[in-house]
Amino acid sequence: MSDMIFREASRADLPAVIALLADDVLGKARDFIDVDDAYERAFAAIDADPRNLLIVAEQAGELVGCLQITYVPGLGRHGAERSLIESVRVRSDRRGEGLGRDLMTWAIDQARQRGCALVQLTTDKTRHDAHRFYLGLGFVASHEGMKRAL
């Protein structure tokens, strides 16, 4: 997709990014489509943090995908930095076109260029298509992840 642009999100992109997050079976239950103070604060925090990037995929002036990259410093792996990718979304009417693969390949290349030792992500256990997708990109289900709601 030669006309696809991957770039950092601006505040003006926030409504479209939130719509992408909610445009999904699990997202419908936990995200909203209206930009409220909580989303504003979260965007401002991400935007102000040099280790966090909210990335959008844009084609023909429309946002068609997004993801968040967090660069995590650590002592493990001889002080290696790792790239954590979260909130990967492709607009529902654009799924199956290879956009997700292009977006993830771009994010992995960014981590490689930065010198990260690995890229990691979590994916909900019910997202079987996503599991196949990530395995196809070379990810390995090497760890059992856990979360605790607060």
Side-chain angles (χ1 to χ4, degrees):
M1 298 191 159
S2 59
D3 60 342
M4 190 67 59
I5 298 169
F6 302 113
R7 62 172 175 78
E8 284 190 59
S10 69
R11 167 54 190 86
D13 298 319
L14 190 54
V17 170
I18 291 168
L20 285 169
L21 295 176
D23 184 25
D24 153 286
V25 172
L26 295 176
K28 281 179 172 65
R30 58 187 179 206
D31 285 301
F32 308 99
I33 57 171
D34 296 323
V35 177
D36 62 11
D37 288 343
Y39 284 127
E40 292 282 2
R41 284 190 304 274
F43 179 82
I46 292 165
D47 194 45
D49 184 346
R51 291 192 176 277
N52 272 287
L53 302 172
L54 181 59
I55 302 299
V56 293
E58 181 181 321
Q59 188 174 42
E62 293 185 8
L63 261 58
V64 295
C66 67
L67 57 74
Q68 182 176 342
I69 304 171
T70 303
Y71 294 109
V72 182
L75 293 174
R77 297 178 185 258
H78 198 234
E81 187 174 59
R82 60 195 71 210
S83 173
L84 173 65
I85 299 176
E86 293 287 334
S87 300
V88 179
R89 297 290 192 283
V90 171
R91 208 171 68 192
S92 59
D93 66 333
R94 299 296 304 273
R95 293 179 190 146
E97 298 177 18
L99 171 59
R101 176 172 293 281
D102 292 345
L103 183 57
M104 285 297 296
T105 298
W106 181 88
I108 293 165
D109 287 344
Q110 297 301 301
R112 186 177 291 113
Q113 290 173 19
R114 188 175 167 110
C116 292
L118 61 90
V119 176
Q120 61 190 35
L121 56 83
T122 61
T123 180
D124 192 278
K125 288 187 176 195
T126 64
R127 294 185 186 273
H128 303 293
D129 289 340
H131 302 167
R132 284 189 295 277
F133 170 72
Y134 293 126
L135 289 169
L137 287 170
F139 285 84
V140 177
S142 61
H143 290 68
E144 183 74 21
M146 296 185 183
K147 294 185 180 187
R148 180 178 172 174
L150 301 177

